[in-house]
Amino acid sequence: MSSQSLYKVSGDIAANALVNNDKYKTMYQESIVNPEGFWREHGKRIDWIKPYTKIKKTSFDDHNLSINWFYDGTLNASANCLDRHLAEHSDRVAIIWEGDNAREQRKITYGELHADVCKFANALRSQGVCRGDIVTIYMPMVPEAAVAMLACARIGAVHSVVFGGFSPDSIATRVIDGKSKVIITSDEGMRGGRAIPLKRNVDDALKNPDVTTIEKVIVLKRTGGKVDWQEGRDIWWHALMETASEHCQPEEMDAEAPLFLLYTSGSTGNPKGVLHTTGGYMVYASMTHEYVFDYKAGEVYWCTADVGWITGHSYMVYGPLANGATVLIHEGVPNHPSPARLGEMIDRHKVNILYTAPTLIRALMAEGKQHFDKFDGSSLRIMGSVGEPINPEAWRWYHEVIGHEHCPIVDTWWQTETGGILIAPLPGATDTKPGSATRPFFGVQPALVDNMGNILNGENEGNLVLLDSWPGQMRTIYGDHERFVLTYFKTFRGMYFTGDGARRDEDGYYWITGRVDDVINVSGHRLGTAEVESALVSHELVAEAAVVGYPHDIKGQGIYAYVTLTRGTEETEELRQELRQWVRKEIGALATPDLIQWATGLPKTRSGKIMRRFLRKIAANEVTNLGDASTLADPAVIETLIESRLNRT
Ligand code: 6R9
């Protein structure tokens, strides 16, 4: 690594930051040598109803798995995000909201947010929601999405947010898995100038005969668009709020009581319901938010993630609100109506901290710098990146064009499963290198292992694992604890396997190289290749399908599908379009295949297993050195696939 690529912490930032390099080292050391003592102290950043005396009972042994943090304490997550700020900061703005159309603006103070959450919590109770019930939330990016989540937390219900871009089928699978009785949605959502028919998607999902548990659909009126109505089942949000009381005592919850479920894709099967609990998650989300973004009271913080992803949970709602931050929420996309929107919003709201994804940065880059000619950007202090590896070109563009070369970039590596950031620079402590997530957060012990599970030392590359638990870790896969153990703790005994590969350089910095399993990352969204394949084969004309990711300039990875049609079916362009639409309808727009190659045969071993490494290489247009094909049942298949490959860039 040449010294040119090292971006040193500026003296100014270090002097005013929460943590400088020496302090990082001392704190990190303590967190590893004495985790009990470290977390006993830092757990106090959260308000506990009954303070904990027990800190950590964890084991990654697959026969004796246990993950418990602060486990004799009790608390309420919504009280931590709201009530505790009221005495001194009731008038501080909690949420600045800007609509898809910039003319729509709202500001909500902590006092107002508290009142709304209490009212909606009472509304939920009035609809029969009890402690422990799972409530599905399918909402656009409006403050009410956060209100709904916090209201669930207030009464001890468990929310399961479904991303607004998902299809009726995807809603249905999640509702079925969680046996949800109530779903909260909106008539429509607005994104990039288009109305998204959220209520209609919910109606369609509920037509699925396997959805049997839903009793109530609560509907927020966002656009006033026309919706179908089922008397007795559907209720307007505003009607419930009119009569609801502003007083709602927060439920006293155990530290290990479930806070939320969030479904995410794995390498096999349906998406898994990742379960997070209350105490450890709140400590970890709020602590990482404060340290990684060096958050200072009064600053305006903008996270562009959708609330349907883990980033929206930990770093738009729970982490920042627990810290009393002012959070900017944007309904739409930051490059609509033009790429200038991002800069205009930063200037308009005097944003101090921006947290976004590489795919957006690459999309803006492709549009050209001129869209930032009028961008002032002087309010901006810290910038974050999340969701996928950031390529050094995008990192530098972000640094120069948005950060005007003076804002530290925190490239934060983490996962739905980890609840919060695990590897990232701290602005006042860590010199950065474009493309590296750098060093572990306090209490986090990453390691690299070879495929046999041997720990690799020093400069090296391998599978990224974690050797010990941290408070924000997921506790189980809802309804399938065995799958939890199998997925994360059996590949490498005694360790949590992340599914990512990584390299560690001479300074001990980590460089995430991407997934080593059958998960692909499209514009920062996780997708299992198996999900896309199963959507494709559910079409009557598809006999077989294999899906892989391939390098894509803007999305990071694109979706490449090899499809074998049923005998006698003609391979037409119309059918190709139909299959793309089919997958879109089955899963959601983000799963639409970019390229579909017709394949009369797929490369298989004699036992019938598809050899994906060949398919990945052909899709990536790396066809000169394919490796050993001798184990294939029919090696000639490869030649045919190479000849008709679609990505020849
Ligand atoms: C937070 C989030 C997790 C997967 C993860 C990895 C990739 C996320 C990254 C990154 C390189 C980063 N990923 N952040 N890769 N650098 N800074 O994105 O959660 O949706 O569960 O995705 O995303 O592959 O394993 P999730």
Side-chain angles (χ1 to χ4, degrees):
M1 184 53 47
S2 73
S3 57
Q4 268 176 319
S5 334
L6 192 70
Y7 289 70
K8 292 263 188 203
V9 172
S10 89
D12 261 11
I13 301 243
N16 298 307
L18 209 55
V19 176
N20 61 20
N21 197 31
D22 290 340
K23 191 158 173 208
Y24 165 78
K25 286 188 178 154
T26 330
M27 283 177 74
Y28 182 74
Q29 186 64 13
E30 214 230 311
S31 74
I32 302 303
V33 178
N34 178 15
E36 290 263 340
F38 182 87
W39 291 110
R40 182 183 302 278
E41 201 46 42
H42 289 283
K44 292 182 193 153
R45 60 180 297 115
I46 285 303
D47 283 356
W48 298 82
I49 299 172
K50 177 169 153 266
Y52 52 83
T53 65
K54 307 269 204 296
I55 312 296
K56 176 178 189 279
K57 188 168 71 186
T58 68
S59 158
F60 282 1
D61 172 357
D62 58 340
H63 294 300
N64 183 27
L65 190 75
S66 93
I67 305 168
N68 299 277
W69 284 93
F70 312 107
Y71 53 98
D72 62 347
T74 63
L75 75 165
N76 182 282
S78 102
N80 270 286
C81 292
L82 303 167
D83 307 43
R84 68 164 169 166
H85 307 310
L86 296 186
E88 286 175 35
H89 303 298
S90 168
D91 292 335
R92 181 188 285 169
V93 174
I95 295 177
I96 304 174
W97 179 80
E98 178 165 312
D100 189 49
N101 179 333
R103 280 197 295 272
E104 282 187 272
Q105 305 264 339
R106 284 166 70 186
K107 281 197 173 134
I108 301 166
T109 65
Y110 271 94
E112 291 163 341
L113 188 62
H114 174 261
D116 280 351
V117 168
C118 287
K119 280 164 83 173
F120 196 65
N122 286 324
L124 286 174
R125 279 200 177 128
S126 77
Q127 298 308 305
V129 177
C130 303
R131 253 175 110 104
D133 285 352
I134 295 173
V135 174
T136 303
I137 299 178
Y138 182 69
M139 298 271 279
M141 288 288 289
V142 289
E144 286 79 0
V147 170
M149 291 162 76
L150 293 167
C152 288
R154 195 159 190 94
I155 61 173
V158 180
H159 56 73
S160 165
V161 180
V162 179
F163 170 55
F166 277 131
S167 67
D169 278 350
S170 301
I171 304 171
T173 8
R174 287 156 174 79
V175 166
I176 294 166
D177 191 67
K179 297 175 208 65
S180 215
K181 286 192 293 187
V182 171
I183 178 161
I184 306 165
T185 188
S186 146
D187 49 0
E188 295 176 317
M190 291 303 298
R191 241 176 107 79
R194 287 190 313 135
I196 320 281
L198 297 177
K199 170 66 163 63
R200 195 174 78 207
N201 288 347
V202 168
D203 289 342
D204 288 349
L206 301 192
K207 283 181 195 140
N208 181 324
D210 296 329
V211 179
T212 53
T213 49
I214 293 286
E215 292 164 11
K216 299 285 175 193
V217 179
I218 303 175
V219 189
L220 176 80
K221 190 175 264 184
R222 161 68 191 103
T223 62
K226 206 175 136 347
V227 289
D228 286 344
W229 205 253
Q230 189 170 314
E231 278 313 323
R233 184 196 72 178
D234 301 349
I235 319 142
W236 286 112
W237 172 296
H238 58 262
L240 289 173
M241 293 293 267
E242 258 164 34
T243 51
S245 148
E246 276 187 19
H247 300 282
C248 177
Q249 190 65 24
E251 287 277 333
E252 179 173 355
M253 305 304 290
D254 288 339
E256 287 299 340
L259 178 61
F260 66 83
L261 281 184
L262 187 59
Y263 287 80
T264 193
S265 297
S267 25
T268 55
N270 279 336
K272 317 173 270 227
V274 168
L275 184 113
H276 282 288
T277 57
T278 311
Y281 174 82
M282 288 303 294
V283 169
Y284 200 75
S286 72
M287 183 163 175
T288 45
H289 174 261
E290 184 177 3
Y291 282 79
V292 174
F293 299 104
D294 191 42
Y295 186 79
K296 303 249 164 43
E299 286 190 313
V300 177
Y301 162 89
W302 182 18
C303 166
T304 66
D306 191 279
V307 70
W309 308 115
I310 190 69
T311 307
H313 283 56
S314 303
Y315 299 111
M316 203 174 67
V317 178
Y318 289 110
L321 295 181
N323 293 338
T326 297
V327 181
L328 172 60
I329 297 183
H330 178 215
E331 182 176 38
V333 282
N335 48 0
H336 176 88
S338 90
R341 181 74 179 268
L342 183 92
E344 289 163 5
M345 284 187 61
I346 294 171
D347 288 343
R348 181 153 52 238
H349 301 290
K350 308 255 177 314
V351 171
N352 306 110
I353 300 168
L354 172 69
Y355 193 25
T356 191
T359 186
L360 173 75
I361 298 163
R362 288 191 298 262
L364 293 174
M365 236 171 115
E367 298 282 350
K369 278 186 190 159
Q370 71 279 10
H371 295 287
F372 291 87
D373 285 350
K374 293 201 196 105
F375 172 52
D376 168 46
S378 55
S379 60
L380 212 53
R381 206 168 66 76
I382 311 277
M383 308 191 303
S385 171
V386 62
E388 51 174 319
I390 179 165
N391 47 312
E393 303 70 44
W395 195 103
R396 289 203 179 86
W397 190 93
Y398 194 26
H399 188 250
E400 284 159 28
V401 180
I402 312 295
H404 294 156
E405 298 187 346
H406 66 82
C407 300
I409 295 182
V410 289
D411 174 5
T412 63
W413 173 83
W414 59 295
Q415 314 178 296
T416 307
E417 294 89 334
T418 70
I421 295 164
L422 294 195
I423 303 182
L426 302 186
T430 319
D431 297 335
T432 52
K433 301 177 187 180
S436 171
T438 78
R439 308 187 291 196
F441 191 71
F442 308 125
V444 174
Q445 292 187 55
L448 301 177
V449 296
D450 64 17
N451 289 341
M452 305 300 292
N454 301 307
I455 294 203
L456 305 167
N457 293 316
E459 256 180 84
N460 233 317
E461 185 164 344
N463 302 296
L464 180 63
V465 297
L466 296 153
L467 301 180
D468 197 2
S469 183
W470 60 98
Q473 184 172 20
M474 76 184 279
R475 302 302 198 254
T476 190
I477 293 175
Y478 180 71
D480 200 347
H481 194 66
E482 238 172 89
R483 187 175 173 203
F484 176 59
V485 179
L486 186 71
T487 310
Y488 302 102
F489 302 95
K490 283 238 196 266
T491 320
F492 305 114
R493 303 279 306 265
M495 306 168 189
Y496 167 89
F497 178 41
T498 63
D500 280 317
R503 182 165 71 78
R504 190 173 44 226
D505 72 13
E506 70 276 18
D507 295 321
Y509 277 28
Y510 286 86
W511 300 70
I512 311 298
T513 51
R515 302 290 302 197
V516 294
D517 54 9
D518 288 323
V519 169
I520 50 182
N521 193 322
V522 184
S523 303
H525 303 325
R526 254 168 89 164
L527 264 179
T529 51
E531 286 170 72
V532 185
E533 287 163 6
S534 109
L536 281 166
V537 296
S538 71
H539 189 284
E540 56 175 6
L541 297 177
V542 173
E544 197 166 32
V547 169
V548 296
Y550 74 99
H552 187 288
D553 283 351
I554 306 282
K555 301 182 186 182
Q557 280 191 300
I559 303 177
Y560 195 114
Y562 297 86
V563 171
T564 309
L565 296 171
T566 50
R567 195 176 290 274
T569 304
E570 210 184 325
E571 297 170 346
T572 63
E573 198 47 43
E574 289 81 70
L575 183 53
R576 202 178 250 143
Q577 288 314 324
E578 184 180 323
L579 291 181
R580 298 182 77 227
Q581 287 311 313
W582 177 266
V583 176
R584 191 187 169 96
K585 189 186 115 300
E586 290 280 304
I587 305 175
L590 59 93
T592 316
D594 295 278
L595 296 172
I596 297 181
Q597 176 173 354
W598 304 125
T600 42
L602 293 170
K604 289 185 189 163
T605 59
R606 288 185 188 89
S607 61
K609 197 171 179 311
I610 296 177
M611 299 283 280
R612 287 164 180 284
R613 65 188 164 92
F614 293 113
L615 297 176
R616 277 191 213 110
K617 286 206 164 173
I618 297 171
N621 199 25
E622 288 169 13
V623 293
T624 43
N625 199 355
L626 279 179
D628 184 12
S630 63
T631 53
L632 290 179
D634 176 12
V637 166
I638 299 279
E639 282 313 312
T640 322
L641 290 177
I642 290 178
E643 267 161 41
S644 49
R645 71 187 186 277
L646 298 175
N647 170 26
R648 288 168 189 267
T649 52

